Amino acid sequence: MKSQAKQRGVDLLVVDSGDLHDGNGLSDGFPKGGIDGHATNHIMTEVPYDVLSIGNHEMYKYPVAHDVYKNFAPKWKGGFLTSNVNITVVGSDGSLTSVPIGERYSKFTTTQGRKVLALGVLLDFINNAANTTTQTTKELVAERWFQEVIREEVDFFLLVGHMAVSDPNWRLLYDAIRVIHPATPVFIFGGHYHIRDCAMFDDRTIAMASGRYMETVGWMSATWPSKDEDNMKFTRRYLDANRVTYQYHTETTPETFDTPKGLSITRDLLALAEKFNLNAVFGIVPDDYYLDRLPWPSENSVVSLFINKALPAILPPSYPDRAFIPSIIIVQSGGQRFDMFKGPFTRNDQFIVSPFTDNFVYLSVPYGIGNQMLTELSKRGAGTSSHTEDADVKAAREEAESGSGEIEKIWRSWRKTQWQQGQGQMSEASWPTWPPWKQPTLGWVTTDSCPGGPGDDTIHRPIPFYKQPDYVSHSNVPNDTHNTTLHDLIFLPFFSKDVIEVVNELRAQSMSQGLGFDVPQMRNVTVKDMQPYGGVKTDEVFGIYARAMWSDQPA
């Protein structure tokens, strides 16, 4: 594409707006003692990016941030930008010093001779690791170096950052530039909310975000104004990230698409998968299981499979000393992160579908209390409220859940709107009557505020979406069990604070109202009463289950 751009006399810049870590086994499946994303970062340096910014997923653990600082950022020769992110390191004189992880800004000239000032910004982030710092955007625009650097006359500003298009902080940066340069074009590339989005700030400023999980490649183009008073003409496209899309837009065929560089990267990825044993097969999944395409409860729900089949089959045998004691298992549905598809279930799939490494714990409580836990926890809603959680587990969960209330709300609203609008459009469209092989495939159906018609490069049917409950449970306690009979309440440490509070509230309620399910000798429970249940971690459950139920291999 860069070669074609040069032949046509136009500029093509390739940018990344952060979060190169976490999500599958290639980054997360490293052996003990390794660093998350180190190996994939090395491969990413083969992609001809012009500008990159840092994301929150590079900031949760100091070793990861330091690896980016020491081994990744220098590879880009000034192109990896962290305008408001620092790391504390040991200086040449042995003293501690706070320095940018990458460069504050970049000034360069394109192949067509246009002068560019680029900045890389991270959202106002508070969950970063110790010895890393994130400056707020408000503080950033007040910095002397920032005010000085934006005064330079350039042909356009390129702002790349891990912030949603709708984040007001983009406006702070934009306003600071516009005070000095009222007509200079500004291109903004954001992210973080996981949605496809686009907005125009004025007739010479466009902001775009390209979805999540490398599902989308965002394409933005602009026709340069012939004089200052002319408006620019912008276009944007959300490209499905797959080989068919790439072949179409590069005007190649399956036989001519591959390049020596691309084939080399493919070999490196395959070799890394082999090195991390990501192709190891636990079993053959008999059907597709979906995260949120089906209403709860559904036979083909990933969450249903986890709570109703996998956990009851795996947990009790993992703790023979208590396997005979009736139990209620409670987990949050958000612990499962992706669909599980029919076919081989590999170690890589394990990282994608169920990535968290939580240990199970239990409390011995009366059935009258345990029987109400699902209802009471659901009233509170999902959240992280851990009393005791391993630092690495906590960091990993924060990586997925950071700002989750806001991110998940936006993400689910985006999905829900597509599905609801799509159902109405399907009733009016002609394609539902077409033969199956001609109908649009499932995918994202984007509505944004940028002009120029729909931005999706490929027309899709909307993916069904149904809200899942925050908490789900499974019980093997007989229905006729007396309210005072003790049983095991099995749960996960990261919401232990809520569990303990609810147990004690129900106990107090039973005592004050004479409800009859308090055990006289039972006192208020504390975190010290929580005990480990077996040795199985949440990320191991589906692998063990697949080997036991979907494989000829011995469990």
Side-chain angles (χ1 to χ4, degrees), residues 189-207:
F189 293 89
H192 190 57
Y193 272 1
H194 293 180
I195 66 174
R196 295 177 171 185
D197 199 10
C198 183
M200 298 288 297
F201 288 15
D202 62 30
D203 56 17
R204 293 193 176 200
T205 303
I206 187 171

Side-chain angles (χ1 to χ4, degrees), residues 320-362:
D321 289 348
R322 301 193 70 83
F324 64 94
I325 299 174
S327 62
I328 295 176
I329 307 169
I330 297 182
V331 298
Q332 285 185 3
S333 63
Q336 308 312 305
R337 305 297 290 182
F338 209 72
D339 301 329
M340 181 189 297
F341 297 113
K342 184 177 181 178
F345 184 75
T346 66
R347 184 168 181 262
N348 189 52
D349 295 318
Q350 193 175 40
F351 283 104
I352 294 171
V353 177
S354 191
F356 300 123
T357 57
D358 299 289
N359 290 294
F360 289 90
V361 295
Y362 77 95

Side-chain angles (χ1 to χ4, degrees), residues 170-189:
W170 284 125
R171 286 281 179 178
L172 292 178
L173 295 162
Y174 160 81
D175 288 342
I177 291 170
R178 279 289 174 258
V179 168
I180 304 170
H181 305 282
T184 304
V186 180
F187 298 89
I188 299 172
F189 293 89

